[in-house]
Amino acid sequence: MDIAKRNPANPILRPADLKPCIPGMEITCLLNPGVFRMNGKTWLLLRVAERPVQQEGVISFPVYNESGEIKVLSFDKNDPQLDASDPRVIGYKGQNYLTTLSYLRPVCSDDDVHFVEDPAVRPIFGEGPQESFGIEDCRVATMEDGYFLTFTEVSPVAVGVGLIGTRDFKTLDREGMIFPPHNKDCALFEEKIGGKYYAFHRPSSPELGGNYIWVAESPDRIHWGRHICIATTRPGSWDSARIGAGAAPIRTPEGWLEIYHGANHENRYCLGALLLDLDDPTKVLARSKEPIMEPIADYEKTGFFGNVVFTNGYYMKDADTIQMFYGASDEVICSAQLSVREILNTL
Ligand code: MAN
């Protein structure tokens, strides 16, 4: 059952609402924002995906070269060696590329509907060879000692998880890759449990196992160990092909409540919930049988990559109301409210 109350103003941000940051490019998609509160405002750290305006018969996309400059690669659409069946990825002679280059772009709002840029808070771009295909899908954990960003680092050799710590989004401490490939969907818990940091992450094990949600612990947020798989995909279900954590879990009297995404083999992305033991978050107490949110609105069903609702950010408007932001159809940004109580009642 879909229990999300969508904002009537959805989509609240579309690609045309912002100007491209990379000279000569267009914004193709706005995706999956990280969310945090700073200076009394709501901030979204949008994943912005850019590429050149596409010319007839050619597929072209940007990558960073070894010197960190943008270079455009172009392929003839009719080349028999080219696989362009997925709008997000290109296969060519055994090598995969992304069709767009993503970076993280902050926007802020007083009313959660109208978002503007603040010239003092700059976009965050990929840096170095492990981010040469960009950075994506940031989660922002708000902790006592600052904001901690976990995001996907993409390059020809890997998809892994990077960490940045910051107090003001002006000075960034880039901590490098904290979960090695293939890994994404990492969300930190916002408080320590038993003196240790905790995180969700999503390694992929293609030959044996799958795309499952794991929990790990750390003394310092950089070195992670004691990995435990807490949730697997479910054959025949809405979350049969892959699952991954959303943002930091919500502390409730019943346990940690985590909103996660699940996709089936048709790449239809829905949201569900997990409830974990407060003292031992590797113990799953309950899990959604049915999605709590599904792609049902027009803007969730059609777009760059249709049939997708994907969230990695929210803030608590009050003790019960989750003000959630999400990417729809891998193209536009939307918001919806969910009630903690209503989610718990479905579990
Ligand atoms: C998948 C999709 C893309 C993303 C790549 C790399 O193909 O989620 O949107 O760019 O993985 O993370």
Side-chain angles (χ1 to χ4, degrees):
M1 200 186 46
D2 190 301
I3 55 168
K5 293 173 199 70
R6 289 165 178 74
N7 193 309
N10 280 348
I12 57 169
L13 278 168
R14 303 167 187 270
D17 296 336
L18 297 172
K19 292 205 172 58
C21 266
I22 311 174
M25 303 287 146
E26 62 163 22
I27 296 181
T28 314
C29 320
L30 299 180
L31 309 98
N32 319 337
V35 179
F36 58 100
R37 299 272 304 167
M38 185 169 71
N39 304 333
K41 292 179 193 288
T42 302
W43 290 77
L44 307 182
L45 207 43
L46 306 170
R47 168 182 169 196
V48 177
E50 300 193 2
R51 69 176 177 197
V53 177
Q54 299 295 289
Q55 306 296 327
E56 190 69 28
V58 184
I59 293 188
S60 52
F61 53 88
V63 297
Y64 294 108
N65 68 16
E66 307 76 53
S67 333
E69 294 148 355
I70 299 277
K71 190 174 127 200
V72 173
L73 301 182
S74 297
F75 293 101
D76 179 348
K77 267 191 180 160
N78 297 316
D79 190 321
Q81 307 231 53
L82 186 79
D83 177 2
S85 53
D86 186 321
R88 305 167 303 175
V89 203
I90 281 174
Y92 189 73
K93 295 188 177 169
Q95 162 84 57
N96 286 329
Y97 302 89
L98 299 183
T99 55
T100 57
L101 181 72
S102 293
Y103 59 91
L104 308 175
R105 187 147 160 191
V107 290
C108 63
S109 171
D110 292 314
D111 63 4
D112 292 344
V113 175
H114 302 95
F115 282 87
V116 294
E117 295 187 81
D118 175 347
V121 186
R122 302 299 306 150
I124 305 174
F125 296 97
E127 261 183 32
Q130 286 177 183
E131 299 176 352
S132 63
F133 286 1
I135 51 175
E136 309 175 343
D137 299 350
C138 185
R139 280 79 172 166
V140 181
T142 305
M143 305 187 70
E144 265 170 18
D145 52 339
Y147 300 100
F148 293 87
L149 285 51
T150 50
F151 52 90
T152 308
E153 302 181 277
V154 196
S155 76
V157 297
V159 172
V161 175
L163 174 72
I164 288 177
T166 183
R167 285 183 179 274
D168 51 12
F169 284 86
K170 287 173 186 152
T171 310
L172 306 176
D173 296 321
R174 294 190 187 241
E175 305 288 7
M177 192 176 278
I178 54 168
F179 289 102
H182 182 285
N183 207 314
K184 44 168 68 174
D185 302 325
C186 173
L188 304 180
F189 287 57
E190 291 179 322
E191 50 184 286
K192 289 184 180 174
I193 304 166
K196 298 199 177 79
Y197 295 102
Y198 278 83
F200 297 109
H201 65 108
R202 206 286 299 279
S204 294
S205 179
E207 272 133 35
L208 199 86
N211 305 299
Y212 305 155
I213 299 176
W214 291 60
V215 165
E217 58 173 63
S218 169
D220 58 6
R221 287 179 291 236
I222 294 173
H223 305 91
W224 293 89
R226 295 195 209 273
H227 302 267
I228 291 179
C229 179
I230 61 153
T232 62
T233 49
R234 297 178 291 194
S237 172
W238 58 275
D239 53 4
S240 59
R242 72 189 75 83
I243 54 175
I250 299 162
R251 177 186 266 284
T252 77
E254 279 89 342
W256 295 106
L257 178 64
E258 174 64 12
I259 298 174
Y260 74 95
H261 64 265
N264 63 14
H265 288 91
E266 281 77 56
N267 282 319
R268 184 171 188 264
Y269 281 76
C270 300
L271 303 181
L274 284 163
L275 188 68
L276 312 174
D277 187 274
L278 281 180
D279 299 321
D280 179 3
T282 67
K283 266 195 213 148
V284 178
L285 307 176
R287 177 173 176 185
S288 298
K289 281 208 173 65
E290 299 301 328
I292 56 171
M293 186 173 185
E294 301 184 56
I296 48 179
D298 285 344
Y299 50 82
E300 296 163 351
K301 288 195 291 193
T302 51
F304 185 76
F305 192 74
N307 285 314
V308 173
V309 291
F310 187 106
T311 187
N312 44 282
Y314 70 88
Y315 77 93
M316 294 306 293
K317 218 172 164 71
D318 56 51
D320 185 64
T321 312
I322 306 169
Q323 178 67 50
M324 184 182 85
F325 295 88
Y326 66 100
S329 290
D330 276 5
E331 186 173 324
V332 292
I333 305 299
C334 297
S335 81
Q337 291 188 347
L338 285 156
S339 149
V340 168
R341 183 45 48 199
E342 276 178 38
I343 298 175
L344 291 176
N345 289 346
T346 66
L347 295 177

